[in-house]
Amino acid sequence: MKNVANTEGRRYSYLTSEIEASYHEAASKFKLSDSAMRILYTICLKGEEGLLSDIVRLSGISKQTINSSLRKLETDGIVYLKTADSRKKKVCLTEKGKALAQNSALQVLRFENEILDSWTEEEQQVYIELTERFLSSFKEKIKEIKA
């Protein structure tokens, strides 16, 4: 099979993989699975609760894996589910979950903010704009896939 990635494409893939590995390392240090960490992280982005559908969509993890992880988090007293309306469920942090989130996902979010805050406004803007442009273009390319 021919190598189709150019030098920048390989570099981008390497960096993306390394970033993901760093998030995995953080989850491991908190003694959390990647899926549990993503659930807590996504809830923290919303506050203290989040729609299950948003967690599935924003985490990039399969619905089945999210549901399995949620069951474990429920059993451990970290989250509970409540009905948001007749068709939607919210995942809410318990007091124990809030403490865990404070010492895990919120710490990671603080790290991210510290890093971005260490950059100039222009650097932040360029990074965000290029990331948004890449995401938008990539989503369009994904639509072209013919399986």
Side-chain angles (χ1 to χ4, degrees):
M1 184 155 79
K2 183 179 174 187
N3 184 354
V4 295
N6 64 23
T7 302
E8 293 305 312
R10 283 192 300 276
R11 185 171 175 214
Y12 174 81
S13 293
Y14 169 78
L15 292 171
T16 301
S17 296
E18 285 293 316
I19 290 169
E20 286 301 313
S22 296
Y23 281 99
H24 170 75
E25 182 180 352
S28 295
K29 285 187 175 200
F30 298 128
K31 298 187 180 3
L32 292 167
S33 67
D34 289 347
S35 56
M37 183 66 171
R38 292 263 181 123
I39 290 168
L40 292 173
Y41 182 96
T42 305
I43 292 171
C44 289
L45 288 174
K46 302 288 185 179
E48 295 180 358
E49 59 184 43
L51 289 174
L52 176 57
S53 57
D54 286 345
I55 292 170
V56 171
R57 183 177 55 81
L58 295 173
S59 71
I61 299 172
S62 75
K63 189 174 183 177
Q64 181 179 357
T65 300
I66 291 293
N67 285 329
S68 295
S69 189
L70 280 174
R71 279 194 296 280
K72 179 161 181 5
L73 289 169
E74 272 186 296
T75 300
D76 293 346
I78 305 299
V79 301
Y80 64 94
L81 287 117
K82 72 179 183 182
T83 303
D85 62 34
S86 62
R87 298 175 51 128
K88 294 183 179 180
K89 288 187 179 183
K90 279 190 177 180
V91 180
C92 308
L93 295 173
T94 63
E95 289 306 313
K96 183 178 176 181
K98 290 174 190 175
L100 177 61
Q102 183 70 35
N103 294 315
S104 60
L106 285 171
Q107 191 172 348
V108 169
L109 283 161
R110 282 191 297 273
F111 293 161
E112 292 170 342
N113 287 332
E114 287 172 12
I115 292 164
L116 290 171
D117 288 344
S118 74
W119 297 354
T120 66
E121 266 188 55
E122 183 181 350
E123 289 169 330
Q124 291 176 41
Q125 198 62 37
V126 167
Y127 179 77
I128 297 298
E129 286 173 5
L130 289 173
T131 302
E132 286 174 340
R133 194 165 112 200
F134 183 91
L135 174 61
S136 177
S137 296
F138 192 68
K139 283 182 172 183
E140 288 301 312
K141 293 292 183 186
I142 294 299
K143 291 176 185 176
E144 297 174 14
I145 293 175
K146 295 177 180 28

